[in-house]
Amino acid sequence: MGDADGDGRPELLADVPGADVAGGSESLTTVLVAFGANVVIAVAKSVAAVMTASASMLAEAAHSWADAGNEIFLLIANRRAHKKPDDLHPLGHGREAYVWSLFAALGLFVAGAAVSITHGIQELISPAPAENFVIGYVVLGVAFVLEGISFLQSARQARAEATSLERDLIEHVLATSDPTLRAVFVEDAAALTGLVIAAAGLFAHQLTGSSIPDAIGSILVGLVLAWVALLLINRNRRFLVGEEADPRVRKAALEALLNAPEVARVTYLRLEIVGPRMISVIGDVDLTGDDTEAHVAVRLRALEARISASPAVAGAVLSLSAPDEPTLTV
């Protein structure tokens, strides 16, 4: 079961779902692709917004600049989360990923949603005609292709991890402990939706000569961004306050412990997410045999080491079960 640790004994939780997914470098690639695409798109949309005077195009420009800024937060999140444990942070710095991703979600809400909705309302109050519609359509088309490339990269990573955890794609995106993957996937999906809305608003403006559909498109783009931002804020909040690992991960971990020859019973087990693809393990176990207290302490420490050897485990703390505690079953 997995690689052997320093004592030649196998890692206990090496086969837990998700433990074999090396997603750190993949997440960095996903964020870099998204950042590059968003910078190019933001510049193009800004030029098009000036040339067309379209409210929807301006909303899309604000959206892309917000996304580009958010990728910087996500790059920081990815880097900080992978700092090595130290004396003050024995479980590592994984939760920093949720802090910086929370900043990114707040930025999306303020710089993307609020700006788009405000400009749309202003356009309704003081309408202005648009022009150079062809330029707007070309920029939106190029943006759709670039956003699609970024979205496919995040979807490919998410699909590989979802398969490991036996989840469908959307379920994994919402549940994954990797906030950068979730942010890029959801923001790209929102961007593609926003591009369709902006194109429809621009076309309606051209067709009717009225800026009202364009303004409504800007407001709709803002509402989409607000919904996405609130979704991301809530998910990061839940991981920051502490969230139990997926039931499938818990079941696999419990099976691995019960199958260990030195473990007679498991009476308590908590797997808490402490960072992207990282959990801490706290449990009460009853060891086989009837050893002295000193020998039991050594065996417990060895068992903790085998658990912590898994790449998915930030740390493990085990205690002895009381005789009257009920046994956990799979």
Side-chain angles (χ1 to χ4, degrees):
M1 180 187 298
D3 299 328
D5 62 16
D7 297 326
R9 306 189 70 180
E11 301 168 6
L12 253 184
L13 305 188
D15 294 335
V16 167
D20 58 342
V21 178
S25 59
E26 186 77 2
S27 292
L28 178 60
T29 301
T30 298
V31 175
L32 288 174
V33 170
F35 178 70
N38 281 320
V39 169
V40 173
I41 292 169
V43 172
K45 286 180 180 177
S46 297
V47 173
V50 172
M51 297 184 68
T52 62
S54 165
S56 294
M57 186 62 70
L58 182 60
E60 276 299 302
H63 177 189
S64 293
W65 281 118
D67 279 352
N70 291 345
E71 309 308 338
I72 296 176
F73 283 119
L74 296 180
L75 288 171
I76 296 173
N78 191 74
R79 180 179 179 84
R80 300 280 296 180
H82 289 89
K83 288 179 61 178
K84 293 182 178 180
D86 53 44
D87 292 341
L88 295 178
H89 306 88
L91 297 180
H93 297 74
R95 283 198 174 101
E96 280 214 47
Y98 308 119
V99 175
W100 291 98
S101 297
L102 183 62
F103 291 160
L106 290 170
L108 181 64
F109 188 86
V110 175
V115 170
S116 299
I117 294 173
T118 300
H119 185 74
I121 294 173
Q122 290 174 343
E123 186 71 17
L124 286 175
I125 297 173
S126 303
E131 54 188 0
N132 298 320
F133 292 98
V134 173
I135 294 176
Y137 295 137
V138 171
V139 169
L140 290 175
V142 172
F144 195 89
V145 172
L146 294 177
E147 291 284 9
I149 292 172
S150 177
F151 179 74
L152 289 175
Q153 164 63 22
S154 60
R156 184 182 66 81
Q157 181 188 351
R159 187 173 291 110
E161 296 182 11
T163 300
S164 170
L165 288 162
E166 298 179 348
R167 296 170 175 160
D168 62 45
L169 181 62
I170 301 302
E171 178 192 9
H172 178 68
V173 168
L174 294 177
T176 180
S177 61
D178 183 350
T180 59
L181 171 61
R182 176 171 38 255
V184 172
F185 183 95
V186 175
E187 288 178 8
D188 284 346
L192 293 172
T193 303
L195 289 169
V196 173
I197 294 173
L202 194 63
F203 179 72
H205 191 159
Q206 181 183 17
L207 192 65
T208 64
S210 170
S211 64
I212 291 178
D214 203 10
I216 293 175
S218 177
I219 294 172
L220 290 176
V221 169
L223 291 175
V224 170
L225 296 182
W227 178 81
V228 168
L230 291 174
L231 171 68
L232 295 176
I233 289 170
N234 183 55
R235 289 305 299 158
N236 285 301
R237 176 192 63 80
R238 290 175 60 179
F239 282 113
L240 279 172
V241 300
E243 183 155 316
E244 183 84 6
D246 185 280
R248 283 161 286 202
V249 174
R250 174 184 168 82
K251 178 182 177 182
L254 181 56
E255 283 183 341
L257 280 172
L258 292 174
N259 289 333
E262 63 266 53
V263 177
R265 295 188 308 139
V266 178
T267 59
Y268 176 79
L269 183 63
R270 175 169 174 79
L271 309 180
E272 184 172 325
I273 296 171
V274 294
R277 305 174 191 83
M278 296 296 293
I279 58 174
S280 71
V281 179
I282 301 175
D284 293 343
V285 299
D286 185 11
L287 299 180
T288 57
D290 189 18
D291 288 323
T292 62
E293 181 178 346
H295 195 194
V296 167
V298 172
R299 292 176 64 191
L300 269 181
R301 187 173 60 187
L303 187 58
E304 290 173 345
R306 289 183 60 199
I307 295 172
S308 299
S310 169
V313 177
V317 177
L318 298 179
S319 302
L320 291 177
S321 302
D324 60 342
E325 291 179 330
T327 303
L328 297 180
T329 58
V330 178

